[in-house]
Amino acid sequence: MSANEKLRGFVLQPTYRTTAEGTVVHLFGVLETGESFLLTDDRNRPYFYVESKDLPLLRNVDAEIADAPDRETLLGRPASRIEVRHPADAPPLRDRLHQQGIATYEADVRFAMRYLIERGIRGALHFEHFEESDPAGGPRRELSSVEGLGRPRHFHNPEVAACDWSPQLKVLSLDIETDPRIRRVLSVGLWGCGAEEVILVTPDGFASVDTANCVPTEAALLRTLAQRIRQLDPDVIIGWNVADFDFTVLERRARELGVLFELGRAPGHTRIRKGQGRAATQVGIPGRVVLDGPTLILGSAMRMERLGLDFVGRQVLGTGKTHVGGDQHAQDILDWFRNDREKLVRYNLQDARIALEILEQLELIELAVERSRLTGMPLDRVAASVASFDFLYLSELGARGIVAPSLRAPGTPDRENFEPMAGGHLLPMVTGLHENVLLLDFKSLYPSLMRTFHIDPLGYARAGNAAIEAPNGARFRNEPGILGGLLDQLMPARERAKEQGNTIASQAIKILMNSFYGVLGTTSCRFFDPALANAITGFGKELLLWTRDALERRGLEVLYGDTDSVFVASGTDAEAAQLLGDELAAALTEELREHLAEAYGVESKLELEFECLYLKLFLPHVRSGTAGAAKRYAGLIDDGDEGRIDFKGLEAVRRDWTDFAREAQHHLYERFFRARPVAPYLRETTHRLRSGDFDDKLIYRKALRKKLTDYTATTPPHVAAARKATKPPGRLIAYVMTAAGPEPAEEQQSPFDYQHYLDKQLQPIAEPLLEIEGLDFKKVIGDDRQLELF
């Protein structure tokens, strides 16, 4: 192949290796031909910056001071570059300088990520003028003697640049089954890349299964699995809790059994990096990416009540696991392993298949690829919003010759004691039932505010005299900044994606744009400053109040407002209300443009939209008073047909209420909005509850926020239930209320306390509606006659 030929590829895994001579960037990825590649580059040294004025203070530093022409800090101070031998040398030097009060800049940027940031490579790249060779620089040959190890094409020291390209990745789903104590791996199911197979441990005396790859020992299973993965050569390995469970168990057992467990495209053991805090556990396999199904769902901003494979499978595919055994599940697996091995094989393979089909149906791999192309993050880190912002902003700063502060460097904002973050503003609620209500909504409010008022870290640092002053006193340079420029690219791109029906690109852009506000108020971000985040919410409050006043000047009543939305009583019929909504949105958008030009001298990027018409809207009051219940309402939306019910903040959309309560609320409001009596439904539901018809829907689910032993001051019901469990509880506790108090759902011993479910589940959701009709809950269900007997 010609060394001048241009190739396109997609980066799966940016990393590096250290040698005696220095540090070598390693980029594993996939070419547009479908082949895997390894790009190595040994022409870079790890570095960071200090202010040039601090150079005389750097004594006895094991580093080199390099020229950094035209480099300056956010505040415009000259900066000098400090080069070290290996990436691991930077953190201790940085920390020592901080202890001496010397600020550092970009001393916490990962070496391989800096390589991509400097070149603006976001996922896709093209390269040319390369040497195709092994790492030592000789003719191309295999990178390892391990049997079947992936054979990436190796390119050394090419010229690389960003490009626009999306790959079609090879995806393999993996699922393991273990004994109840998770001390042995019994089988592994593989689905994808042409495989539909199970590797099954079959000791002497155990029956073989024709549909499985039977191996004599667990060690043989691990070796066979490693070989099959290398042969199938997936770009991505997925599963359900695959990092925290499957790979964690496989890596541990390989280590305990002394099995060489190399699964990658180059030499190297499988490594598990446990996530800290909310960070997901990462699995390191050279040249491949491991993605977890629940983590992808959480990172996609998709709402899913529960994240178990069976539940998600039934929601997405209409089918779930072949067996859900509750507390007996682990024992059932062991029994099948001994006595019904074909059933175990079918079950294992079904789990692997369902996991892959869910991700395919939801297009979550494609979404991860699109997010990587937007942010530059590797596929297993696309949900890292702070790191994504870092990549984009540092790229833009670097192009301007500006360096950013290291996290927690001297002189950066205090991350321990800072002004509180202000949330979105709320307008008082006019409670009750309303008809023909307009919902007006600011389109992408926070990103639009950043664009309009030039809210930007660099613009904040260099505000100057003719600055825009936010309601909280923060001042910004009155010219387009980096953040506004990024949003100016993203927002039109999202509109194009929506017009083209490209939901994946649209969703990826939406997630990224919506993250910017939160990132600026996050202490783990190098650009953190409460003034930035509060400037955004401050302008948001000002515009919400301006919108209310503009509507009231037109003689319209504002029933409620929340952050970017206002609910307006149209005072007319549905047909006229539809026309009024469009007219108001257009008129107020133009009026606001004129107002902001006069008041701030800025070009408004804000747009009010007529979101929908509520044929009926119910705004409830709080249970213990008359004030409106903020962020809680339900309405019948005009959809051109019979209308659809919309819930916000009520029990029907909350995970901490039972299925019984959520379903009952849906039925109640369906009747209420369509002028059908609710009393007969409540009487029937009460009777069916007491008859046991809803027993399978009475489960509460609540997460443990700390260790069971740390709950000392109070004992919430889910904690009491968890303490009664015979096995260690997971993070999410499923429990029921019984005559003996809370009990684990899977180990219920006592009869249900149906009166509890009437008083704490059905009555609270029914009373707001009964109050409007002048009815009493106890009388409606007939319990008032029972009370008279006492």
Side-chain angles (χ1 to χ4, degrees), residues 80-103:
S80 295
R81 179 161 145 168
I82 307 297
E83 293 185 352
V84 294
R85 187 170 185 79
H86 298 297
D89 297 333
L93 176 56
R94 173 199 65 206
D95 294 343
R96 194 163 85 241
L97 294 176
H98 287 181
Q99 290 171 1
Q100 298 173 18
I102 299 173

Side-chain angles (χ1 to χ4, degrees), residues 361-381:
Q361 180 68 28
L362 297 177
E363 299 182 292
L364 290 178
I365 301 296
E366 291 85 350
L367 179 60
V369 168
E370 194 65 29
R371 294 178 71 181
S372 178
R373 288 181 358 99
L374 281 171
T375 66
M377 288 291 102
L379 293 178
D380 58 353
R381 297 196 69 220

Side-chain angles (χ1 to χ4, degrees), residues 309-321:
L309 179 60
D310 181 68
F311 180 85
V312 178
R314 294 185 187 280
Q315 293 294 309
V316 176
L317 306 174
T319 183
K321 296 161 71 74

Side-chain angles (χ1 to χ4, degrees), residues 84-370:
V84 294
R85 187 170 185 79
H86 298 297
D89 297 333
L93 176 56
R94 173 199 65 206
D95 294 343
R96 194 163 85 241
L97 294 176
H98 287 181
Q99 290 171 1
Q100 298 173 18
I102 299 173
T104 66
Y105 296 81
E106 301 180 12
D108 42 19
V109 178
R110 297 183 180 185
F111 180 67
M113 292 306 295
R114 184 184 288 282
Y115 184 89
L116 300 176
I117 289 170
E118 287 177 339
R119 293 157 179 80
I121 296 171
R122 304 183 196 177
L125 79 168
H126 70 74
F127 43 96
E128 58 185 330
H129 302 299
F130 49 79
E131 306 168 26
E132 189 166 3
S133 62
D134 72 358
R140 181 185 174 206
R141 58 178 184 261
E142 308 305 339
L143 298 182
S144 173
S145 60
V146 176
E147 181 185 357
L149 194 64
R151 298 171 172 82
R153 292 177 60 181
H154 177 220
F155 306 107
H156 187 58
N157 287 352
E159 292 183 11
V160 299
C163 73
D164 184 15
W165 176 67
S166 291
Q168 292 294 319
L169 300 177
K170 296 179 293 184
V171 182
L172 177 69
S173 179
L174 177 148
D175 180 78
I176 73 169
E177 303 300 339
T178 72
D179 70 311
R181 302 181 71 179
I182 319 179
R183 291 190 174 179
R184 290 183 298 154
V185 180
L186 306 178
S187 66
V188 180
L190 299 175
W191 189 281
C193 296
E196 299 175 11
E197 62 192 64
V198 172
I199 307 169
L200 177 67
V201 174
T202 307
D204 289 342
F206 279 68
S208 296
V209 179
D210 292 340
T211 56
N213 183 354
C214 296
V215 295
T217 65
E218 186 183 3
L221 178 147
L222 294 169
R223 284 190 289 267
T224 301
L225 173 62
Q227 184 180 37
R228 286 299 290 142
I229 288 176
R230 295 193 300 263
Q231 290 170 345
L232 295 170
D233 197 28
D235 303 311
V236 177
I237 302 176
I238 65 100
W240 221 253
N241 298 316
V242 70
D244 282 313
F245 181 71
D246 300 74
F247 271 109
T248 297
V249 173
L250 290 170
E251 189 276 335
R252 172 175 59 82
R253 291 302 292 146
R255 190 165 16 92
E256 292 169 349
L257 294 171
V259 173
L260 181 65
F261 199 54
E262 290 198 351
L263 311 178
R265 288 168 163 163
H269 294 289
T270 301
R271 300 184 182 277
I272 310 296
R273 180 185 295 171
K274 288 295 183 181
Q276 300 297 318
R278 294 185 177 182
T281 295
Q282 288 184 290
V283 181
I285 299 175
R288 309 192 202 280
V289 180
V290 175
L291 299 178
D292 178 58
T295 301
L296 288 174
I297 290 175
L298 287 171
S300 71
M302 184 180 301
R303 289 186 62 86
M304 194 68 69
E305 183 185 328
R306 295 193 289 277
L307 290 173
L309 179 60
D310 181 68
F311 180 85
V312 178
R314 294 185 187 280
Q315 293 294 309
V316 176
L317 306 174
T319 183
K321 296 161 71 74
T322 57
H323 174 78
V324 183
D327 188 46
Q328 291 297 312
H329 173 75
Q331 187 60 46
D332 290 341
I333 296 296
L334 187 58
D335 289 344
W336 297 342
F337 176 74
R338 293 168 174 165
N339 306 310
D340 195 346
R341 293 165 61 76
E342 289 187 0
K343 187 173 184 178
L344 174 61
V345 169
R346 291 195 302 271
Y347 174 81
N348 193 180
L349 193 59
Q350 172 86 336
D351 279 5
R353 178 184 67 80
I354 290 175
L356 181 57
E357 289 183 355
I358 288 171
L359 300 191
E360 289 177 338
Q361 180 68 28
L362 297 177
E363 299 182 292
L364 290 178
I365 301 296
E366 291 85 350
L367 179 60
V369 168
E370 194 65 29

Side-chain angles (χ1 to χ4, degrees), residues 266-577:
H269 294 289
T270 301
R271 300 184 182 277
I272 310 296
R273 180 185 295 171
K274 288 295 183 181
Q276 300 297 318
R278 294 185 177 182
T281 295
Q282 288 184 290
V283 181
I285 299 175
R288 309 192 202 280
V289 180
V290 175
L291 299 178
D292 178 58
T295 301
L296 288 174
I297 290 175
L298 287 171
S300 71
M302 184 180 301
R303 289 186 62 86
M304 194 68 69
E305 183 185 328
R306 295 193 289 277
L307 290 173
L309 179 60
D310 181 68
F311 180 85
V312 178
R314 294 185 187 280
Q315 293 294 309
V316 176
L317 306 174
T319 183
K321 296 161 71 74
T322 57
H323 174 78
V324 183
D327 188 46
Q328 291 297 312
H329 173 75
Q331 187 60 46
D332 290 341
I333 296 296
L334 187 58
D335 289 344
W336 297 342
F337 176 74
R338 293 168 174 165
N339 306 310
D340 195 346
R341 293 165 61 76
E342 289 187 0
K343 187 173 184 178
L344 174 61
V345 169
R346 291 195 302 271
Y347 174 81
N348 193 180
L349 193 59
Q350 172 86 336
D351 279 5
R353 178 184 67 80
I354 290 175
L356 181 57
E357 289 183 355
I358 288 171
L359 300 191
E360 289 177 338
Q361 180 68 28
L362 297 177
E363 299 182 292
L364 290 178
I365 301 296
E366 291 85 350
L367 179 60
V369 168
E370 194 65 29
R371 294 178 71 181
S372 178
R373 288 181 358 99
L374 281 171
T375 66
M377 288 291 102
L379 293 178
D380 58 353
R381 297 196 69 220
V382 292
S385 56
V386 171
S388 298
F389 186 90
D390 228 24
F391 189 108
L392 295 174
Y393 209 88
L394 289 177
S395 293
E396 296 293 332
L397 282 180
R400 291 165 170 77
I402 300 171
V403 298
S406 304
L407 190 63
R408 302 183 187 281
T412 56
D414 183 1
R415 284 166 164 75
E416 304 299 331
N417 303 295
F418 52 84
E419 64 177 285
M421 302 298 173
H425 188 64
L426 301 175
L427 299 178
M429 180 181 287
V430 180
T431 59
L433 180 64
H434 307 276
E435 293 188 358
N436 297 325
V437 176
L438 309 170
L439 173 57
L440 301 178
D441 182 86
F442 278 105
K443 185 177 179 180
S444 301
L445 176 64
Y446 285 176
S448 297
L449 289 173
M450 296 178 207
R451 297 171 68 206
T452 298
F453 297 106
H454 308 312
I455 297 172
D456 178 68
L458 181 59
Y460 178 63
R462 301 184 178 185
N465 294 325
I468 299 169
E469 184 168 337
N472 69 331
R475 301 172 73 251
F476 300 92
R477 193 176 189 86
N478 193 358
E479 61 182 45
I482 291 175
L483 196 48
L486 290 171
L487 290 166
D488 283 343
Q489 299 171 27
L490 291 171
M491 293 188 74
R494 183 171 184 236
E495 291 303 313
R496 287 194 299 273
K498 290 167 68 175
E499 291 171 0
Q500 296 165 0
N502 188 341
T503 57
I504 298 300
S506 173
Q507 179 68 359
I509 296 171
K510 178 181 178 180
I511 294 170
L512 177 60
M513 291 195 307
N514 287 344
S515 73
F516 286 174
Y517 161 73
V519 163
L520 293 175
T522 301
T523 57
S524 58
C525 176
R526 74 179 68 249
F527 302 103
F528 162 78
D529 195 311
L532 290 168
N534 286 339
I536 297 169
T537 53
F539 275 124
K541 175 182 177 180
E542 181 177 301
L543 295 190
L544 189 66
L545 294 174
W546 179 91
T547 305
R548 178 201 62 187
D549 294 344
L551 289 164
E552 290 179 347
R553 285 195 298 270
R554 287 169 165 78
L556 296 168
E557 182 183 16
V558 175
L559 302 173
Y560 178 53
D562 181 357
T563 309
D564 59 353
S565 304
V566 287
F567 296 79
V568 188
S570 69
T572 185
D573 60 33
E575 185 176 351

